[in-house]
């Protein structure tokens, strides 16, 4: 092990140690003096906030493998001209510390792994507007003030009774040497913008090119009924009901060395930041778990989490020589494997809880009415029906359409006949998991039918071709004849080239509180048997299209995870009778081989 790695390990272990036991800690001073304190330090007094944040997409923004694949692909295509544009938001603290964008995650400072971490929001005292993530986090050690809503008033009580709470604001030689003492920040300073929607703008509204906005939540919100009513982003994303402005949970703001301070029923803002997004990193690397950091990123990436490594029963068989397995050197020790497996099981629990909240926030965001039938319900007759989809969220579009053409939200409807056979379906997927639209590799290869009635709320990028026609594309990088690959504006103004901007976005999302009717028609020739039919419907939400993941060079494991963790929203089955009408033959080739559950 190199000297640097060894040092890193010491620092990790020390952090872990002080977080759990407050035992003697020779590195305490080093930590306390760091100008960019880690979330692990805040965790010792703000445990509830910490564990919510630890599984949030904010905590994920730097570790995200999809972020790195996408960021690298874009920089390669654009000959490096993207520069630090992406990392300054996803790895804000690291960028500010001067770490170059191309620096590998495992070579970076520990804090840079934490993405949008505590200090990214609580060491901000300037009101930033639409700055595409160019904010400034105040560099200061743990004992400097933090910025907050000014909810609590107990800090004085703690500071004036430092002995009782075993805290100190000192980090130098004059600091008390007692093992139990923690370094605390001085009085939190009230920063009123943190309670307002404007606080989120600097990162949640992103423009990169005329016609291309990677984040649009803010501009939608600004014109929304929620904004008029004074409902904030925080009210829906940090309250007690995911996605609804239904008030907040209560909890003490801080628990210092086991002692609750201040109001035990203070307002608590949930730091999970509810949303449909989800991590697909190695489960040893994310959720951010202090128990996991005793192993380096490299070590974790060598732990085959999809295998039974570290499961006691399986390990027992290895021990007895009943089965054989090979391990890399880092994981040659059984105890290590078992401990790692335990950490992974804790992380899975956190991911399952997050999944529940993802389903909740999405179910709270929409109302589905239907099916409404508008045709004769007879064999041999076309079956016409519709659903009404409503965006119940008064704050922004469903989905916001942020993040370019990535997040997918589509309607999957299947008609199941009296024998349990699916005779018709829309919103089905190809063998990779993609919808059967023009991006599907299987549609392109002709091995699966194009889904003509697909209802998909995903935003698309449109590019203008040489002849002036539009085409859906998946990446907003201009690499055609007009100019060199470049994400900055075109060299010529629109008035000269006489066509719309070469690339733009086409939103298909539902504005706040609006509805859209979706009409479907099942050809009569598919309805041959009289009896009880079922229409099965569900909305499906996935963070990334598989074709796009392939395009940016995602690994097979990443593709698998993105499919495994996707969610179904409002699954519903409607039963109805089809009477005997004109007989007709089924054409087996007109529907894909979907098997109903
Ligand atoms: C100004 C801040 C900002 C910048 C700059 C930015 N992002 Fe993001 N990014 C976000 C936000 C906010 C989200 C979450 C949006 C949502 O869920 O609607 C996000 C989400 C993502 C996600 C999906 C979540 C995940 O981690 O898998 C990817 C991938 C991503 N960004 C890649 C990029 C790339 C590549 C760039 C550079 C071209 C970039 N981002 C630039 C703010 C930013
Ligand atoms: C994306 C920004 C963001 C991040 C990241 C963030 N916070 Fe907060 N934090 C907020 C907002 C917004 C509030 C609520 C302000 C209000 O009440 O109006 C808040 C409130 C708090 C409070 C008040 C008590 C409570 O329970 O609500 C504490 C303490 C706190 N944060 C600590 C932390 C710690 C520790 C971390 C890291 C583990 C963290 N925050 C990460 C934005 C953030
Ligand atoms: C040694 C304990 C300790 C540590 C470590 C600590 N805090 Fe605090 N924090 C407190 C106490 C005590 C309060 C006051 C609680 C009250 O007023 O009820 C507080 C209050 C806050 C508040 C103000 C909440 C409000 O709205 O009034 C914020 C924000 C905050 N801390 C963030 C952080 C962050 C971020 C870190 C890590 C960089 C951190 N804290 C580390 C003990 C700690
Ligand atoms: C420093 C930049 C930054 C600030 C400030 C910020 N965010 Fe984020 N936010 C991000 C990034 C980056 C992501 C996505 C990270 C990822 O998944 O890779 C994100 C993700 C989210 C998500 C999860 C979306 C999903 O699909 O699950 C929500 C919700 C969210 N932010 C809400 C807020 C709110 C509300 C505020 C203001 C209180 C806020 N954010 C402030 C950068 C920021
Ligand atoms: C009235 C409640 C409400 C308000 C206000 C609100 N949101 Fe949301 N938000 C939701 C719901 C519900 C969802 C889940 C449905 C969806 O994806 O649109 C969501 C989803 C999101 C997502 C992730 C997925 C997406 O749609 O792109 C982000 C990021 C987000 N909100 C950020 C914000 C920010 C930033 C603000 C303030 C500028 C805000 N929200 C205001 C309710 C709200």
């Amino acid at each position: 092990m190199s000297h640097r790695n060894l040092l890193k390990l010491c620092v990790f272990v020390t952090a872990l140690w002080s977080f759990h036991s407050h035992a003697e800690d020779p590195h305490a001073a080093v930590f306390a003096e760091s100008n960019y304190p880690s979330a692990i330090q805040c965790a010792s007094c703000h445990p509830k906030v910490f564990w919510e944040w630890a599984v949030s997409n904010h905590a994920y923004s730097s570790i995200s493998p999809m972020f790195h694949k996408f960021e690298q692909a874009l920089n390669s295509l654009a000959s490096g001209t993207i520069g630090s544009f992406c990392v300054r938001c996803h790895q804000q603290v690291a960028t500010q510390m001067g770490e170059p964008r191309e620096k590998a995650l495992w070579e970076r400072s520990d804090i840079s792994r934490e993405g949008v971490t505590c200090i990214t929001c609580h060491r901000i005292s300037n009101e930033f507007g639409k700055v595409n993530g160019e904010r400034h986090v105040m560099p200061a050690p743990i004992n400097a003030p933090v910025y907050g809503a000014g909810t609590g008033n107990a800090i004085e009580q703690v500071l004036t009774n430092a002995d009782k709470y075993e805290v100190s604001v000192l980090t130098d030689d004059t600091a008390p040497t007692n093992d139990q003492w923690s370094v605390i920040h001085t009085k939190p300073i009230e920063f009123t913008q943190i309670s307002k929607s404007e606080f989120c703008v600097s990162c949640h509204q992103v423009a990169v090119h005329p016609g291309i906005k990677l984040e649009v939540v803010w501009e939608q919100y600004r014109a929304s009924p929620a904004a008029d009513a004074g409902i904030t982003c925080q009210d829906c994303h940090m309250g007690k009901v995911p996605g609804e402005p239904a008030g907040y949970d209560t909890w003490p703001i801080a628990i210092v060395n086991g002692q609750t301070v201040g109001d035990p029923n203070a307002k608590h803002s949930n730091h999970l930041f509810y949303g449909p997004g989800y991590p697909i990193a190695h489960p040893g690397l994310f959720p951010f778990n202090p128990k996991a950091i005793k192993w380096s990123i490299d070590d974790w990436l060598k732990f085959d989490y999809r295998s039974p490594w570290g499961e006691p029963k399986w390990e027992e068989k290895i021990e007895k020589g009943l089965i054989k397995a090979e391990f890399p050197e880092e994981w040659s020790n059984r105890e290590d494997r078992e401990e790692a497996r335990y950490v992974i099981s804790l992380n899975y629990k956190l991911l399952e809880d997050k999944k529940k909240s993802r389903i909740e926030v999405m179910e709270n965001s929409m109302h589905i009415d239907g099916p409404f039938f508008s045709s004769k319900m007879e064999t041999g007759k076309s079956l016409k029906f519709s659903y009404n989809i409503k965006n119940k969220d008064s704050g922004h579009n469903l989905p916001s359409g942020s993040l370019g053409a990535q997040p997918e939200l589509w309607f999957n409807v299947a008609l199941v006949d009296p024998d349990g056979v699916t005779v018709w379906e829309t919103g089905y997927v190809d063998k990779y998991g993609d919808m059967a639209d023009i991006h599907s590799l299987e549609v392109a290869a002709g091995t699966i039918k194009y889904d003509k009635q697909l209802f998909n709320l995903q935003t698309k990028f449109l590019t203008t071709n040489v002849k002036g026609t539009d085409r859906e594309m998946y990446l907003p990088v201009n690499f055609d004849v007009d100019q060199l690959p470049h994400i900055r504006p075109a060299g010529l103004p629109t008035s000269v080239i006489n066509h719309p901007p070469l690339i733009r976005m086409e939103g298909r999302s539902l504005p706040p509180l609006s509805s859209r009717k979706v009409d479907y028609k099942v050809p009569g020739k598919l309805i041959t048997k009289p009896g009880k039919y079922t229409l099965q419907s569900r909305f499906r939400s996935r963070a990334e299209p598989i074709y796009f993941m392939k395009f940016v060079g995602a690994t097979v494991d990443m593709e698998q995870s993105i499919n495994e963790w996707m969610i179904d929203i409002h699954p519903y089955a409607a039963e109805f009778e089809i009477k005997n009408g004109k007989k007709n033959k089924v054409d087996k080739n007109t529907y894909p081989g979907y098997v109903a559950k």
Side-chain angles (χ1 to χ4, degrees):
M1 189 183 274
S2 75
H3 179 73
R4 212 193 58 241
N5 281 345
L6 187 69
L7 185 75
K8 220 162 148 187
L9 189 73
C10 291
V11 172
F12 271 139
V13 173
T14 319
L16 181 71
W17 196 244
S18 61
F19 170 65
H20 281 291
S21 61
H22 298 278
E24 191 170 336
D25 175 2
H27 293 82
V30 178
F31 260 102
E33 280 161 14
S34 158
N35 276 334
Y36 298 99
S38 155
I40 297 177
Q41 280 174 282
C42 318
S44 60
C45 299
H46 302 293
K48 190 172 167 70
V49 168
F50 172 81
W51 283 108
E52 291 160 352
W53 169 84
V55 65
S56 73
N57 278 49
H58 284 142
Y60 177 64
S61 67
S62 166
I63 207 101
S64 164
M66 191 54 200
F67 169 73
H68 294 288
K69 290 289 186 191
F70 184 1
E71 201 267 349
Q72 185 55 51
L74 206 49
N75 259 299
S76 303
L77 280 167
S79 317
T81 55
I82 313 290
S84 62
F85 173 77
C86 312
V87 290
R88 76 180 182 221
C89 226
H90 283 255
Q91 302 181 302
Q92 191 157 92
V93 175
T95 306
Q96 195 179 308
M97 286 163 71
E99 290 180 8
R101 66 151 282 274
E102 64 279 5
K103 198 167 189 177
L105 207 47
W106 42 88
E107 286 170 4
R108 284 173 178 267
S109 57
D110 300 340
I111 182 86
S112 84
R113 244 178 94 170
E114 297 179 19
V116 180
T117 183
C118 313
I119 56 168
T120 317
C121 290
H122 292 291
R123 282 269 162 84
I124 294 283
S125 62
N126 276 330
E127 301 198 349
F128 293 99
K130 291 187 224 161
V131 294
N132 282 356
E134 255 181 290
R135 302 152 85 245
H136 181 74
V137 179
M138 289 164 74
I142 182 82
N143 60 346
V146 287
Y147 294 81
T151 324
N153 52 15
I155 196 86
E156 294 298 350
Q157 176 201 327
V158 175
L159 295 177
T160 49
N161 295 294
D163 284 358
K164 179 180 170 220
Y165 293 102
E166 301 176 312
V167 292
S168 169
V169 289
L170 302 172
T171 58
D172 56 17
D173 293 344
T174 57
T177 48
N178 187 317
D179 295 348
Q180 303 294 317
W181 288 55
S182 323
V183 183
I184 191 169
H185 48 72
T186 44
K187 193 175 164 26
I189 296 175
E190 186 179 342
F191 175 55
T192 49
Q193 201 203 41
I194 201 171
S195 308
K196 298 184 187 157
S197 302
E198 280 80 354
F199 184 70
C200 322
V201 179
S202 51
C203 300
H204 284 271
Q205 178 71 30
V206 186
V208 291
H209 190 289
I212 299 289
K213 290 171 182 170
L214 288 181
E215 287 283 322
V216 289
V217 176
W218 168 253
E219 66 181 43
Q220 291 170 354
Y221 167 80
R222 201 182 42 196
S224 74
D228 282 347
I231 297 164
T232 63
C233 317
Q234 289 87 333
D235 290 341
C236 292
H237 287 283
M238 300 181 89
K240 62 180 170 201
V241 179
E244 285 183 12
Y248 291 81
D249 275 328
T250 57
W251 194 262
I253 295 175
I255 298 177
V256 184
N257 285 330
Q259 306 169 79
T260 297
V261 300
D263 181 0
N265 297 311
K267 168 186 169 187
H268 169 66
S269 302
N270 195 314
H271 281 64
L272 179 60
F273 287 87
Y274 314 110
Y278 53 104
I280 54 164
H282 187 295
L285 294 176
F286 196 85
F288 184 84
N289 192 332
K291 283 195 164 67
I293 57 181
K294 68 184 264 193
W295 291 287
S296 71
I297 293 179
D298 302 1
D299 290 348
W300 272 118
L301 291 177
K302 287 182 198 152
F303 188 92
D304 184 0
Y305 73 95
R306 288 191 187 271
S307 78
W309 290 11
E311 275 162 16
K313 277 186 188 151
W314 186 82
E315 291 287 352
E316 202 53 53
K317 285 184 193 154
I318 295 275
E319 192 84 43
K320 289 184 179 148
L322 297 174
I323 39 175
K324 278 212 161 68
E326 281 188 32
F327 307 101
E329 206 194 309
E330 292 81 353
W331 297 105
S332 55
N333 181 322
R334 176 178 172 181
E335 274 84 63
D336 282 340
R337 290 196 300 273
E338 290 192 346
E339 199 183 332
R341 176 59 62 189
Y342 173 67
V343 171
I344 286 175
S345 71
L346 294 179
N347 278 0
Y348 270 130
K349 168 96 186 39
L350 292 170
L351 292 172
E352 289 293 347
D353 288 349
K354 182 179 169 91
K355 185 174 176 183
K356 279 186 207 133
S357 84
R358 289 166 49 212
I359 295 174
E360 250 180 281
V361 75
M362 292 311 286
E363 294 205 330
N364 289 344
S365 75
M366 61 165 78
H367 185 80
I368 303 170
D369 265 334
F372 302 109
F373 295 95
S374 58
S375 63
K376 275 198 173 162
M377 291 157 90
E378 275 179 12
T379 55
K381 287 261 153 57
S382 303
L383 185 66
K384 292 183 187 163
F385 56 93
S386 66
Y387 290 86
N388 211 40
I389 317 295
K390 181 174 178 174
N391 175 9
K392 282 201 313 177
D393 168 8
S394 60
H396 51 76
N397 287 23
L398 170 71
S400 75
S402 286
L403 255 182
Q406 295 167 260
E408 299 175 304
L409 184 61
W410 76 97
F411 206 26
N412 175 210
V413 186
L415 181 65
V416 181
D417 81 2
D419 299 332
V421 176
T422 297
V423 293
W424 170 90
E425 188 178 7
T426 176
Y428 52 88
V429 295
D430 67 17
K431 68 179 177 193
Y432 306 105
D434 280 319
M435 287 169 250
D437 62 11
I438 64 161
H439 301 293
S440 159
L441 297 175
E442 278 211 275
V443 168
T447 49
I448 179 176
K449 280 209 159 211
Y450 179 74
D451 192 351
K452 278 191 207 132
Q453 303 188 55
L454 177 64
F455 183 74
N456 177 11
L457 292 170
Q458 180 188 5
T459 297
K460 299 286 182 175
F461 285 116
L462 296 184
T463 59
T464 304
N465 300 320
V466 188
K467 288 178 184 159
T469 50
D470 285 339
R471 197 182 195 297
E472 276 182 20
M473 285 287 290
Y474 24 97
L475 201 67
V477 179
N478 191 352
F479 41 102
D480 78 12
V481 294
D482 286 35
Q483 56 183 245
L484 281 171
H486 219 271
I487 204 172
R488 281 191 233 126
L492 291 170
T494 310
S495 53
V496 174
I497 50 180
N498 196 29
H499 60 67
L502 296 162
I503 324 155
R504 60 195 186 279
M505 293 174 88
E506 188 192 54
R508 292 167 185 185
S509 54
L510 297 173
L513 307 181
S514 74
S515 309
R516 201 170 295 161
K517 189 169 163 251
V518 201
D519 292 309
Y520 293 112
K521 183 178 162 190
V522 181
K525 64 181 176 186
L526 298 179
I527 302 171
T528 52
K529 295 191 185 97
K532 202 170 269 172
Y533 279 69
T534 317
L535 266 174
Q536 293 178 343
S537 60
R538 56 181 176 177
F539 256 87
R540 314 202 77 193
S541 161
R542 183 172 53 198
E544 303 282 345
I546 309 299
Y547 57 77
F548 184 69
M549 295 184 80
K550 290 190 188 299
F551 181 70
V552 299
T555 63
V556 174
D557 186 77
M558 287 165 66
E559 283 180 23
Q560 203 178 331
S561 298
I562 214 96
N563 280 328
E564 281 167 356
W565 287 95
M566 66 189 277
I567 50 172
D568 287 343
I569 302 145
H570 289 308
Y572 185 69
E575 277 191 356
F576 59 96
E577 278 288 315
I578 294 273
K579 294 213 175 69
N580 215 349
K582 191 167 70 92
K583 278 252 151 44
N584 213 328
K585 259 197 167 169
V586 197
D587 177 358
K588 282 246 164 41
N589 300 318
T590 46
Y591 60 88
Y594 173 85
V595 183
K597 276 197 194 130

